Amino acid sequence: MMRHETAPHSVQTVTKQYIEMQSPTNTALDLVKNLPSISVSTVDSSGILGGQINSRSLTDSDMGILLNGVPVATAYYLNQNVDSENLDHVTVTPGSAAIELPVTSAAVGVMDAQTYTPGHKFGGLMDFAYGTNNLSREFMRVESGDIGNSGIRGYFSFSHEHARNWTGPWTNERRHLDFGAVKDFDNGSSVNLFVSWNHQFTAAPKYPTATQFFNKKHGLGTYNYQATYDPSNPSMYGGLDGNMWDQVFITTPVHLHLPDNFSFDFKPYYVYNGGYTYNGTLFNANVTPVTLGPDGSALSGKVPAASYYSVFRPHAGAVAKLNYDVGRQHHIELGYWFDYQDNQVVNRYSVLSATGQQAFPYAASTGLFQAGSRYMPYQGDSGWKNHSLFLQDTSKFLDNRLVVNAGFKVSMINRWSQNFASTAPKVQSNFVVPLPQLSIGYQIDTHNQIYVNAEGDYRMPDPGSLSQVFDAEAGRYVGNPYNAKPQYSIKEELGWRYDNRYFMTDLEFFNYAITDRLVSTSVYVNNQSIGTTINAGNQTARGFDAMISGHPFHHWSPYASVEYLDATMDSNLPATGMLANGQTIGDYLPTKGKTAVQAPHVLANFGLTYDDGKFFGNVGVHYTSSQYATFMNDQKMPGFVTDSLSVGYHFPSFRFVKAPTFRLNFNNLAGGFVRTGVNGLVNNAVAVRGVRGSMISASGSPTYYLYPRFNVTATLSMAF
């Protein structure tokens, strides 16, 4: 649960030995839940639906989520990247992002999952898992071993998973492929290919408000989707809320060993996400005239329909880096990173059958049309291009005991947004973001190391936040004055590590100064309130992390960690208020000095591992203290405890079957029904007087993640 580290900045890692004790349904999200700087909220017990990370008053939207050093989507989609059997380790660097990493959201550092390197001998692995909520999962990996004298080796794996939602109706299904190959050259050069494909149908549950949560807990009703179809309220039918999603991930890092102490690294990548999300709705054909099909009859009244958002999201880029070693004291890196991301979204509607069955979303016969063309009220395209240059020098002194790393990166970003279904023109903006780095590590003796790290990191705002606003009075689209700038963080770390034959420790103090904090909220623009992303001023976060782990003693290894965090808002939040005469104005919520949202003061973890080569087990307990769910601090989520238990046995090998293993993985042993995170923040849960004197109405009720109730997974695995 803790690895010995030497980097001159905070590093928190879970290793393959720990990963192999956990359920094969676990994603990287589940595996890092006991690290000191992390609080995890998951949606279901099968891992298919993902969840959210909170870290040092920020979320995974502020974190670089990587696979083999390549950017992927947020924590909600982590299950799509790789099967857990093909993971080698997962590392979180909460206060830093290596200068060559291709990230545009690293205000709270990065989480990087590294995949399994294929072995040199032919073989494979298979496992079968069954568990609570009708969970079933099958996995198989085949490895080629060394292919003749070519220096090439690889593996191919496939998995299938099916599970019912633990709360609410409907089921989720996932199919996944992983392929990895390595080519080694005699001079130290290498090529490493990794490809994954993921296809899934999911039905996400609703996220309750505090009132809905307590009503459900006390048996007073349900907040969730219904299992039966009601044509008068199709939005509550569980069969009409979900998505069909595909992802393809490709990366091929190349390392070339060149003459005269030069080397070259090239890492291209391509990630495709596509599919559609859908939900039930009553389409008002009296307000928006439509026909059923291109040549069908006109519809009237409120028509039960399915609303589809089709998404096409290509993401491609490459990092090129030239390295030069000046003797043994200096390692110089000069690099360039290009990144392109495009998000194309189209909204369509289809009429439901009498029993609530939806048709294929692109079928013309059941689609809604206007003037012979498919009715598509939104056709959005947004994205960015990022050109970045970086230079870094790593110097070693005093017989390599003193390591100084200094670097500078500059990112030049062009982002755009356009709604083709409107007359609004394409909107663009350009930014230049400087990112300096300096870290110093000193090995005092064989047991003690100290380090200091300082750097700037940023988060790009969603290009969709550029969307323009329709001014009903003027009858045209006008510019959005809240054109959000990149969020920027200046971070400092001071740390000490100690390691001997009995235990190892890591103590780190951190300080974050966050400017132009990005917040999704509602603001007042041209006589109307709109939802957008804005810069909400500044925020400060400081505290410390402490980790300690015992080296195995009679097969036992204890682990404990704690984080203390003090995070405050340093600015007032823009909002919309009303004066006594009924006039609506732009105002500010008095949030300056209040505790930051999603910023619990204390995170604590305890773990204990046993492994004698046959019997093995691990127990983990996590505590998160209370946190605010509104920027005005007028609604708070209480603290909570989560737990997990893994037990298993390695049986003797026989014939071609190697290391057959049986394990049981338990979560939420006490079966508690608790909230584990804020899914939807709001500005203020009750009305409040604004800074300019207007009355600012309550902006709604926060919604929450729930901790899946007691669940168990049994897994039988074997190698060959």
Side-chain angles (χ1 to χ4, degrees):
M1 301 180 72
M2 179 178 176
R3 188 178 69 174
H4 177 63
E5 306 287 355
T6 59
H9 54 77
S10 176
V11 184
Q12 301 165 7
T13 302
V14 293
T15 65
K16 190 165 185 61
Q17 183 181 7
Y18 173 77
I19 295 171
E20 290 177 341
M21 293 184 183
Q22 306 307 306
S23 168
T25 65
N26 281 4
T27 66
L29 182 68
D30 304 290
L31 298 172
V32 301
K33 63 185 179 183
N34 290 316
L35 295 180
S37 61
I38 295 291
S39 181
V40 168
S41 303
T42 52
V43 177
D44 70 335
S45 57
S46 69
I48 296 179
L49 293 178
Q52 177 183 268
I53 293 175
N54 289 342
S55 180
R56 297 180 178 178
S57 79
L58 301 173
T59 71
D60 52 90
S61 295
D62 305 281
M63 176 180 284
I65 307 292
L66 307 175
L67 178 64
N68 289 342
V70 169
V72 288
T74 58
Y76 189 83
Y77 303 99
L78 274 174
N79 72 297
Q80 301 183 38
N81 301 333
V82 61
D83 279 326
S84 64
E85 293 90 343
N86 297 328
L87 278 176
D88 183 75
H89 63 273
V90 184
T91 296
V92 175
T93 55
S96 62
I99 202 166
E100 72 272 11
L101 290 179
V103 290
T104 56
S105 297
V108 71
V110 301
M111 181 176 74
D112 191 4
Q114 292 291 322
T115 58
Y116 169 79
T117 301
H120 292 276
K121 295 183 179 180
F122 172 80
L125 174 71
M126 63 176 64
D127 59 51
F128 309 91
Y130 300 90
T132 313
N133 301 318
N134 198 29
L135 167 68
S136 64
R137 184 179 185 274
E138 306 83 37
F139 169 87
M140 185 173 183
R141 182 178 69 219
V142 178
E143 300 191 48
S144 68
D146 290 324
I147 302 176
N149 296 320
S150 65
I152 300 175
R153 61 191 192 277
Y155 68 85
F156 175 84
S157 72
F158 173 77
S159 70
H160 170 259
E161 184 175 359
H162 173 280
R164 186 179 68 244
N165 280 332
W166 76 273
T167 178
W170 240 252
T171 59
N172 308 302
E173 188 167 13
R174 169 184 180 265
R175 292 177 174 86
H176 188 88
L177 295 173
D178 286 333
F179 173 77
V182 176
K183 162 64 176 175
D184 293 321
F185 297 88
D186 293 337
N187 68 347
S189 300
S190 65
V191 179
N192 194 335
L193 169 67
F194 180 80
V195 180
S196 71
W197 168 81
N198 193 87
H199 174 78
Q200 63 187 40
F201 278 93
T202 60
K206 276 186 172 294
Y207 301 96
T209 64
T211 300
Q212 292 170 333
F213 165 76
F214 284 115
N215 286 342
K216 177 67 175 178
K217 188 171 185 177
H218 298 140
L220 301 178
T222 183
Y223 61 89
N224 223 316
Y225 293 107
Q226 306 300 314
T228 56
Y229 172 65
D230 178 0
S232 67
N233 192 13
S235 63
M236 287 302 295
Y237 178 44
L240 292 172
D241 181 79
N243 67 65
M244 187 285 294
W245 202 252
D246 286 283
Q247 175 176 290
V248 176
F249 175 94
I250 305 172
T251 182
T252 313
V254 177
H255 175 74
L256 299 178
H257 185 76
L258 304 175
D260 299 323
N261 296 327
F262 282 96
S263 63
F264 179 73
D265 290 286
F266 183 65
K267 182 183 289 185
Y269 56 87
Y270 176 78
V271 185
Y272 164 80
N273 285 279
Y276 56 85
T277 63
Y278 54 90
N279 61 277
T281 185
L282 284 175
F283 187 91
N284 195 336
N286 292 336
V287 175
T288 307
V290 292
T291 62
L292 179 59
D295 303 313
S297 58
L299 299 175
S300 62
K302 294 185 177 181
V303 181
S307 174
Y308 297 91
Y309 280 87
S310 301
V311 181
F312 174 69
R313 187 180 297 162
H315 184 190
V319 179
K321 184 178 65 168
L322 181 65
N323 313 287
Y324 179 59
D325 291 312
V326 184
R328 297 181 178 180
Q329 276 68 47
H330 295 276
H331 178 77
I332 300 174
E333 301 173 359
L334 174 65
Y336 166 71
W337 167 43
F338 172 75
D339 185 76
Y340 169 82
Q341 182 169 313
D342 191 20
N343 300 278
Q344 302 174 23
V345 182
V346 177
N347 182 209
R348 297 178 175 89
Y349 289 85
S350 292
V351 174
L352 300 172
S353 72
T355 58
Q357 297 297 312
Q358 53 181 312
F360 183 63
Y362 308 107
S365 60
T366 54
L368 300 186
F369 281 73
Q370 276 189 339
S373 299
R374 190 71 183 256
Y375 174 66
M376 294 183 289
Y378 183 79
Q379 302 174 56
D381 177 57
S382 60
W384 67 56
K385 291 181 181 179
N386 186 328
H387 298 268
S388 297
L389 297 171
F390 60 88
L391 176 65
Q392 179 172 253
D393 174 63
T394 302
S395 303
K396 298 181 179 180
F397 307 99
L398 304 179
D399 197 24
N400 296 334
R401 292 165 59 188
L402 176 64
V403 178
V404 179
N405 184 287
F408 186 81
K409 181 177 185 177
V410 58
S411 290
M412 296 156 283
I413 305 117
N414 167 256
R415 61 186 183 125
W416 67 87
S417 181
Q418 185 170 12
N419 182 1
F420 294 106
S422 75
T423 58
K426 183 177 181 179
V427 186
Q428 299 187 72
S429 63
N430 297 282
F431 296 106
V432 177
V433 184
L435 302 166
Q437 291 189 6
L438 175 65
S439 60
I440 302 172
Y442 180 63
Q443 192 72 39
I444 300 173
D445 53 34
T446 56
H447 301 301
N448 292 275
Q449 181 197 18
I450 57 174
Y451 62 87
V452 61
N453 178 64
E455 65 180 66
D457 285 312
Y458 72 119
R459 169 189 166 188
M460 273 298 298
D462 181 355
S465 64
L466 285 169
S467 297
Q468 294 199 334
V469 183
F470 185 76
D471 187 338
E473 185 175 340
R476 60 186 177 86
Y477 281 83
V478 296
N480 181 353
Y482 295 98
N483 179 6
K485 297 180 291 185
Q487 176 179 294
Y488 196 82
S489 302
I490 299 175
K491 300 172 290 186
E492 300 91 20
E493 298 177 308
L494 175 63
W496 166 71
R497 296 188 179 106
Y498 180 83
D499 184 24
N500 63 19
R501 58 181 296 189
Y502 302 108
F503 64 90
M504 55 182 168
T505 63
D506 195 329
L507 174 63
E508 178 215 357
F509 295 89
F510 59 85
N511 179 71
Y512 287 29
I514 304 167
T515 59
D516 294 321
R517 175 78 160 94
L518 288 173
V519 171
S520 297
T521 186
S522 296
V523 295
Y524 176 76
V525 178
N526 290 0
N527 302 318
Q528 59 182 310
S529 181
I530 65 165
T532 188
T533 300
I534 66 171
N535 294 118
N538 303 334
Q539 184 172 309
T540 300
R542 52 175 60 100
F544 68 85
D545 284 347
M547 302 173 68
I548 184 169
S549 179
H551 293 300
F553 181 74
H554 294 291
H555 313 299
W556 293 94
S557 301
Y559 163 85
S561 67
V562 64
E563 176 178 275
Y564 175 77
L565 173 68
D566 180 34
T568 57
M569 296 185 65
D570 302 330
S571 303
N572 295 318
L573 187 67
T576 303
M578 182 175 291
L579 298 175
N581 61 6
Q583 180 185 357
T584 303
I585 67 168
D587 205 339
Y588 290 85
L589 286 167
T591 55
K592 184 176 181 179
K594 296 190 179 296
T595 300
V597 293
Q598 297 176 295
H601 286 302
V602 178
L603 303 178
N605 300 277
F606 172 77
L608 184 63
T609 302
Y610 178 85
D611 190 351
D612 65 5
K614 294 183 179 180
F615 287 100
F616 63 89
N618 173 269
V619 61
V621 180
H622 171 89
Y623 169 73
T624 295
S625 66
S626 61
Q627 57 189 289
Y628 286 107
T630 65
F631 291 95
M632 278 299 298
N633 291 178
D634 50 14
Q635 188 168 132
K636 178 186 284 191
M637 191 191 88
F640 63 90
V641 175
T642 62
D643 52 50
S644 62
L645 173 65
S646 304
V647 293
Y649 184 78
H650 298 295
F651 294 93
S653 301
F654 62 94
R655 296 186 178 180
F656 67 90
V657 177
K658 301 177 182 178
T661 302
F662 178 76
R663 67 182 183 270
L664 292 170
N665 297 99
F666 304 87
N667 287 285
N668 196 354
L669 298 175
F673 187 66
V674 299
R675 291 170 285 175
T676 58
V678 185
N679 170 259
L681 294 165
V682 300
N683 294 352
N684 51 312
V686 298
V688 64
R689 184 72 61 184
V691 173
R692 293 179 175 175
S694 70
M695 201 66 191
I696 301 174
S697 301
S699 55
S701 298
T703 56
Y704 298 92
Y705 288 98
L706 301 184
Y707 187 31
R709 281 198 160 145
F710 171 81
N711 58 87
V712 58
T713 304
T715 306
L716 177 63
S717 63
M718 60 193 74
F720 58 88

